[in-house]
Amino acid sequence: MSRLSMRSPYWLVPALALFLALAGCTGIPDGVKPVQNLEPERYLGTWYSIARLDHSFERDLTNVTARYELRDDGSIRVINRGYHPEKEEWREVRGVARFIESPNVGRLKVSFFGPFYGGYNLIALDDENYHYAMVSGPTRSYLWILARSPDLDEAVLASLVEQARELGFDVDELIYVQHDQGDDV
């Protein structure tokens, strides 16, 4: 039986601490440009992780989603959630994101605890429908391809993977996220 872990706010703390210590910044990889003319209110809502580079804080999780909600102070509430099939439990972590330059530029800093922030760089976006996005961290070791549904058109996915390859990301190491928990997501 699946359940939300009672430890859920804390399961990522050590991994995120390591991530932030190693990443150590809110930068963007050299030669990578953030999305311009972002409409933040259209970006809010739930995104499904389609593909990502491997990191301990998401390792072994399926059904990974990120939900973004506007807070009263203009920052964004971040709720990352995934299912650990072996342990039969949902894991969730909450954080806050703040724009680095302006709300119309896809550069944010995200914190899941304390005053430590990591870079969240929106580097590709379906600017017509906001149906897919690609996000990098402060280095090329962090990459996510996101979509508004658990499936992304294969041609669109291939195009995003090729774009990431051209930007120097190791796309041969991408992990394609399984989504099979239906309405529990």
Side-chain angles (χ1 to χ4, degrees):
M1 178 165 94
S2 66
R3 61 180 164 66
L4 185 62
S5 170
M6 296 306 289
R7 301 166 300 168
S8 39
Y10 307 105
W11 73 277
L12 288 179
V13 172
L16 287 171
L18 177 62
F19 162 71
L20 293 171
L22 293 175
C25 70
T26 58
I28 187 168
D30 289 338
V32 176
K33 304 289 182 214
V35 165
Q36 304 292 312
N37 302 312
L38 176 68
E39 296 176 50
E41 64 282 353
R42 291 182 66 199
Y43 194 75
L44 300 175
T46 299
W47 289 88
Y48 293 81
S49 180
I50 302 299
R52 62 176 171 75
L53 291 177
D54 187 36
H55 290 288
S56 61
F57 50 90
E58 289 181 62
R59 190 164 293 139
D60 299 325
L61 297 183
T62 63
N63 303 285
V64 177
T65 60
R67 192 168 72 234
Y68 305 106
E69 301 170 348
L70 188 62
R71 294 170 29 141
D72 290 339
D73 66 0
S75 64
I76 297 173
R77 178 177 297 109
V78 179
I79 304 166
N80 289 345
R81 189 169 191 239
Y83 184 73
H84 195 293
E86 189 174 297
K87 295 184 178 182
E88 296 183 330
E89 67 182 15
W90 286 96
R91 294 183 174 179
E92 182 176 286
V93 64
R94 294 172 180 253
V96 63
R98 301 182 192 292
F99 290 97
I100 292 175
E101 296 175 27
S102 83
N104 303 107
V105 176
R107 290 210 52 228
L108 297 96
K109 58 184 184 177
V110 179
S111 177
F112 289 97
F113 63 98
F116 305 103
Y117 285 87
Y120 181 102
N121 302 295
L122 188 55
I123 61 174
L125 179 65
D126 169 18
D127 58 355
E128 184 177 335
N129 298 311
Y130 280 54
H131 182 70
Y132 60 81
M134 188 161 56
V135 176
S136 82
T139 71
R140 285 179 173 80
S141 296
Y142 302 93
L143 182 73
W144 294 266
I145 295 175
L146 308 173
R148 290 295 190 176
S149 66
D151 300 304
L152 184 58
D153 179 83
E154 287 184 31
V156 171
L157 178 57
S159 175
L160 290 168
V161 169
E162 184 56 30
Q163 181 181 348
R165 181 186 316 280
E166 290 172 3
L167 290 170
F169 292 89
D170 187 1
V171 297
D172 294 332
E173 296 298 318
L174 282 173
I175 295 168
Y176 294 86
V177 180
Q178 178 182 350
H179 289 278
D180 62 0
Q181 291 297 314
D183 293 334
D184 288 341
V185 177

